[in-house]
Amino acid sequence: MSSEIKELKEANLQITGMTCAACANRIEKGLNKLDGITLANVNLALENAVVEFNPSEVSVTDIISRVEKLGYGAHIKEDNNENVDYREQAIKKQKSKFIISAILSIPLLWTMVGHFSFTSFLYVPNFLMNPWVQMILATPVQFLIGWQFYVSAYKALRNGSANMDVLVVMGTSAAYFYSVYQAIITYGHEHHPQLYFETSAVLITLILLGKLFEAKAKGRSSEAIKKLMGLQAKTALVLRDGLEKEIPLEEVIIGDAILVKPGEKIPVDGEVIEGNSAVDESMLTGESIPVDKNVGSQIYGSTINKNGFIKMKATKIGRDTALAQIIKVVEDAQGSKAPIQRLADKISGIFVPIVIGIAILTFIIWIVLVAPGEFTPALEALIAVLVIACPCALGLATPTSIMAGSGRAAELGILFKGGEHLEQTQHINTVVVDKTGTVTKGTPELTDVYVEDGINKEEFLSFIGASEKQSEHPLAQAIVKGIEEQGINIKTVQQFEAIPGYGVRAVIENKEIVIGTRKLMNQYKIDITHVMSLMEELEESGKTAMLASIDGEYAGLVAVADTIKETSKRAIQRLQKMGIEVIMMTGDNVRAAKAIGKSVGVNEVIAEVLPEGKAEEVKKLQAQGKKVAMVGDGINDAPALAVADIGMAIGTGTDVAMEAADITLIRGDLNSIADAIIMSHKTMRNIKQNLFWAFGYNTLGIPIAAAGFLAPWVAGAAMAFSSVSVVLNALRLQRIKLEK
């Protein structure tokens, strides 16, 4: 079984020809029946299909062929830009069709409006009342511009199902052919026959207008992806054969030496091999302060080199870069389905046949009971029912909200990996946060310096810095960095010795310097009794204190701590105000963990937990009926991230953690936890509003149309408005502003 899973591949197809939820549903069912396909997910709003398949059983060609047999077009999406280009072409095409259709339909609408007693003052040219003139105007709309509906309806019926276009074709054809029949049988008569050419033409025009609005709205829903793609550099200045050469970004290969001048975008992910600079990484992390980069530093494509000239080595290109991965996560989330959508899909699948049945029944009731023998009102009622019931709004209700919600979340630095995670996050009532690198910065800093009376503090730090500079220990490096940041000159070391587990010994300016633990001081018989209470106090607050002696005499101490992120306390308070329980979990000792927990306002702390133990602790909380989100940044957090109801990885952490998580918080700011939960709540509320409107609209509209209270063209306008209103409601999510 495991070898089979490893063989699975994923194909991302651009689908053409879909018009409603029934189309997406039919393609999805058709693909899922194909041997070798484990999962097919078709998204109407994005017009794509993500197919997971076993290449030993089925090929991409077979999958495309299956889609084509179902009556639609399909091809592999080559790159991220293609979807944007495709949308722009679709908008242009819909616009052209609508303009031509409107030009031909307006004279017909004019004649219809002129029939009413309250509009008798309107001048209607007599030639427009001629049935044959009306037919000349209506025919191109019905069969040239409207041909797409006939093709789609035929393909749907050929495959044993019905979609929105079946309703459109039935409604408009009934109006058109009845009008042709009336024109023929009354030819040569003096009175004007009852014609419905304007009904068929105006209906098609209104449907095209609705589709134009939808196409534009769908394009706006993908704004997040467009913005992200716009961040990419277009070219790179590479060194090849000793020559500088500017090449397109696509031609960069791993290992290329790339020159990046001040003010330029870094083209791909890589490592600095020469020079130093400050890099603006705000597009990735949200941090406005540029990050210093030196030889060996990791840098990321699309970030901006601020002030220094650097040479870098390309380590990740194309789809492997950090930005490309972010774009992929956003696309996957927008293309995935939330569980709530399955209800809408099921209803859409059976909706059209039911509507056809209701329309036929309406026609029979009218012609037999309501207006016996009168064909005209019965036909009008049938057409109105067919048109108003088109389930466009139903099909768009969920995917447009997911597109807009996940896109806005991405702009806020929150990457949902799928629609199901976007839906589930709203249920979270317990958040478990890792300490190191999540609540804290993850890197130790020099926090305290205490010196004995009579000792010069600057000289003391110069001795300490010189001694620790020779050590590779992270705490030693933190001390050196803290001293250098104060602008203190570090002395030259004559001798150096690292004492593993205890500290260091050095000779500087013929003075013996010893720095380390109390055990090391005892070993060198240095009296430290008078500073023990201070040391314990520092340790109680979560700091690591190191004692120092000069020539056998105690001289002072320095303390180092993994400092708390500036935003952690405020972020935890936000969660607690929302009624969410916050627990801190760490592998660190109990004393240090409780000190950090107290500083940020976390009451419950679980300390000294091994990586596998973190997953067990999460399971214990779930056993109590809690919906748990685990937030972490390291490899040791991966098991717990995978087990939790929702795993949130800090974007500044490891790739393993991000792979195991359901949500990536790019900015490394704990405020993003509350933001993610709020975005989930707002998106799900938006989806429910859309579904309520779509279901309510059809439930209310069908009986009104059946009762004869809606003219067919009014039903068409209402149907178009319902789809547009659902999309516009979803787009409100793109304007959400969250508390900071």
PDB file of all heavy atoms in Angstrom, residues 23 32 93 106 214 238 329 336 371 403 691 733:
ATOM      1  N   CYS A  23     -22.209  21.307 -13.939  1.00  0.00           N
ATOM      2  CA  CYS A  23     -21.083  20.953 -14.825  1.00  0.00           C
ATOM      3  C   CYS A  23     -19.900  20.454 -14.006  1.00  0.00           C
ATOM      4  O   CYS A  23     -19.315  19.400 -14.295  1.00  0.00           O
ATOM      5  CB  CYS A  23     -20.632  22.175 -15.633  1.00  0.00           C
ATOM      6  SG  CYS A  23     -21.896  22.892 -16.689  1.00  0.00           S
ATOM      7  N   ASN A  32     -13.860  10.680 -11.096  1.00  0.00           N
ATOM      8  CA  ASN A  32     -13.720   9.790  -9.941  1.00  0.00           C
ATOM      9  C   ASN A  32     -14.074   8.337 -10.269  1.00  0.00           C
ATOM     10  O   ASN A  32     -13.660   7.424  -9.564  1.00  0.00           O
ATOM     11  CB  ASN A  32     -14.570  10.296  -8.764  1.00  0.00           C
ATOM     12  CG  ASN A  32     -13.879  11.418  -8.007  1.00  0.00           C
ATOM     13  OD1 ASN A  32     -12.688  11.357  -7.752  1.00  0.00           O
ATOM     14  ND2 ASN A  32     -14.630  12.454  -7.656  1.00  0.00           N
ATOM     15  N   LYS A  93     -14.027  38.121 -24.230  1.00  0.00           N
ATOM     16  CA  LYS A  93     -14.954  37.349 -25.070  1.00  0.00           C
ATOM     17  C   LYS A  93     -16.398  37.589 -24.623  1.00  0.00           C
ATOM     18  O   LYS A  93     -17.287  37.843 -25.448  1.00  0.00           O
ATOM     19  CB  LYS A  93     -14.595  35.856 -24.969  1.00  0.00           C
ATOM     20  CG  LYS A  93     -15.243  34.994 -26.022  1.00  0.00           C
ATOM     21  CD  LYS A  93     -14.708  33.575 -25.930  1.00  0.00           C
ATOM     22  CE  LYS A  93     -15.342  32.672 -26.962  1.00  0.00           C
ATOM     23  NZ  LYS A  93     -14.865  31.280 -26.835  1.00  0.00           N
ATOM     24  N   ILE A 106     -31.970  45.441 -27.774  1.00  0.00           N
ATOM     25  CA  ILE A 106     -32.582  46.702 -27.314  1.00  0.00           C
ATOM     26  C   ILE A 106     -33.801  47.094 -28.160  1.00  0.00           C
ATOM     27  O   ILE A 106     -34.853  47.470 -27.603  1.00  0.00           O
ATOM     28  CB  ILE A 106     -31.524  47.835 -27.248  1.00  0.00           C
ATOM     29  CG1 ILE A 106     -30.617  47.606 -26.024  1.00  0.00           C
ATOM     30  CG2 ILE A 106     -32.187  49.207 -27.162  1.00  0.00           C
ATOM     31  CD1 ILE A 106     -29.386  48.491 -25.970  1.00  0.00           C
ATOM     32  N   GLU A 214     -19.714  37.823 -13.475  1.00  0.00           N
ATOM     33  CA  GLU A 214     -19.073  36.693 -12.791  1.00  0.00           C
ATOM     34  C   GLU A 214     -17.604  36.589 -13.170  1.00  0.00           C
ATOM     35  O   GLU A 214     -16.737  36.398 -12.317  1.00  0.00           O
ATOM     36  CB  GLU A 214     -19.783  35.386 -13.157  1.00  0.00           C
ATOM     37  CG  GLU A 214     -21.081  35.151 -12.414  1.00  0.00           C
ATOM     38  CD  GLU A 214     -21.823  33.945 -12.962  1.00  0.00           C
ATOM     39  OE1 GLU A 214     -21.153  33.017 -13.438  1.00  0.00           O
ATOM     40  OE2 GLU A 214     -23.063  33.936 -12.907  1.00  0.00           O
ATOM     41  N   VAL A 238      23.599  37.275 -13.971  1.00  0.00           N
ATOM     42  CA  VAL A 238      24.418  36.125 -13.566  1.00  0.00           C
ATOM     43  C   VAL A 238      25.853  36.268 -14.070  1.00  0.00           C
ATOM     44  O   VAL A 238      26.134  36.971 -15.049  1.00  0.00           O
ATOM     45  CB  VAL A 238      23.817  34.792 -14.079  1.00  0.00           C
ATOM     46  CG1 VAL A 238      22.435  34.568 -13.523  1.00  0.00           C
ATOM     47  CG2 VAL A 238      23.783  34.739 -15.600  1.00  0.00           C
ATOM     48  N   VAL A 329       0.328  27.313  -2.342  1.00  0.00           N
ATOM     49  CA  VAL A 329      -0.561  27.077  -1.198  1.00  0.00           C
ATOM     50  C   VAL A 329      -1.852  27.880  -1.355  1.00  0.00           C
ATOM     51  O   VAL A 329      -2.941  27.364  -1.114  1.00  0.00           O
ATOM     52  CB  VAL A 329       0.154  27.435   0.133  1.00  0.00           C
ATOM     53  CG1 VAL A 329      -0.837  27.413   1.297  1.00  0.00           C
ATOM     54  CG2 VAL A 329       1.281  26.459   0.412  1.00  0.00           C
ATOM     55  N   SER A 336      -9.610  24.199  -3.487  1.00  0.00           N
ATOM     56  CA  SER A 336     -10.112  23.061  -2.707  1.00  0.00           C
ATOM     57  C   SER A 336     -11.540  23.316  -2.242  1.00  0.00           C
ATOM     58  O   SER A 336     -12.037  24.430  -2.317  1.00  0.00           O
ATOM     59  CB  SER A 336      -9.217  22.814  -1.498  1.00  0.00           C
ATOM     60  OG  SER A 336      -9.314  23.893  -0.601  1.00  0.00           O
ATOM     61  N   ALA A 371     -55.783  28.753 -16.951  1.00  0.00           N
ATOM     62  CA  ALA A 371     -56.300  29.422 -18.154  1.00  0.00           C
ATOM     63  C   ALA A 371     -56.538  28.349 -19.212  1.00  0.00           C
ATOM     64  O   ALA A 371     -55.727  28.166 -20.122  1.00  0.00           O
ATOM     65  CB  ALA A 371     -55.295  30.464 -18.648  1.00  0.00           C
ATOM     66  N   MET A 403     -12.360  31.472  -2.278  1.00  0.00           N
ATOM     67  CA  MET A 403     -11.341  32.202  -3.042  1.00  0.00           C
ATOM     68  C   MET A 403     -11.027  33.543  -2.401  1.00  0.00           C
ATOM     69  O   MET A 403      -9.864  33.896  -2.175  1.00  0.00           O
ATOM     70  CB  MET A 403     -11.817  32.430  -4.474  1.00  0.00           C
ATOM     71  CG  MET A 403     -11.765  31.200  -5.360  1.00  0.00           C
ATOM     72  SD  MET A 403     -12.556  31.531  -6.947  1.00  0.00           S
ATOM     73  CE  MET A 403     -11.372  32.659  -7.672  1.00  0.00           C
ATOM     74  N   LEU A 691     -25.281  30.840   0.698  1.00  0.00           N
ATOM     75  CA  LEU A 691     -26.133  29.654   0.524  1.00  0.00           C
ATOM     76  C   LEU A 691     -27.583  29.977   0.888  1.00  0.00           C
ATOM     77  O   LEU A 691     -28.517  29.539   0.215  1.00  0.00           O
ATOM     78  CB  LEU A 691     -25.618  28.491   1.378  1.00  0.00           C
ATOM     79  CG  LEU A 691     -24.329  27.826   0.875  1.00  0.00           C
ATOM     80  CD1 LEU A 691     -23.842  26.790   1.871  1.00  0.00           C
ATOM     81  CD2 LEU A 691     -24.529  27.170  -0.490  1.00  0.00           C
ATOM     82  N   LEU A 733     -15.171  39.995   1.580  1.00  0.00           N
ATOM     83  CA  LEU A 733     -14.108  39.407   2.404  1.00  0.00           C
ATOM     84  C   LEU A 733     -12.743  40.013   2.090  1.00  0.00           C
ATOM     85  O   LEU A 733     -11.847  40.023   2.934  1.00  0.00           O
ATOM     86  CB  LEU A 733     -14.044  37.883   2.186  1.00  0.00           C
ATOM     87  CG  LEU A 733     -15.219  37.076   2.748  1.00  0.00           C
ATOM     88  CD1 LEU A 733     -15.186  35.655   2.208  1.00  0.00           C
ATOM     89  CD2 LEU A 733     -15.185  37.067   4.267  1.00  0.00           C
TER      90      LEU A 733
END
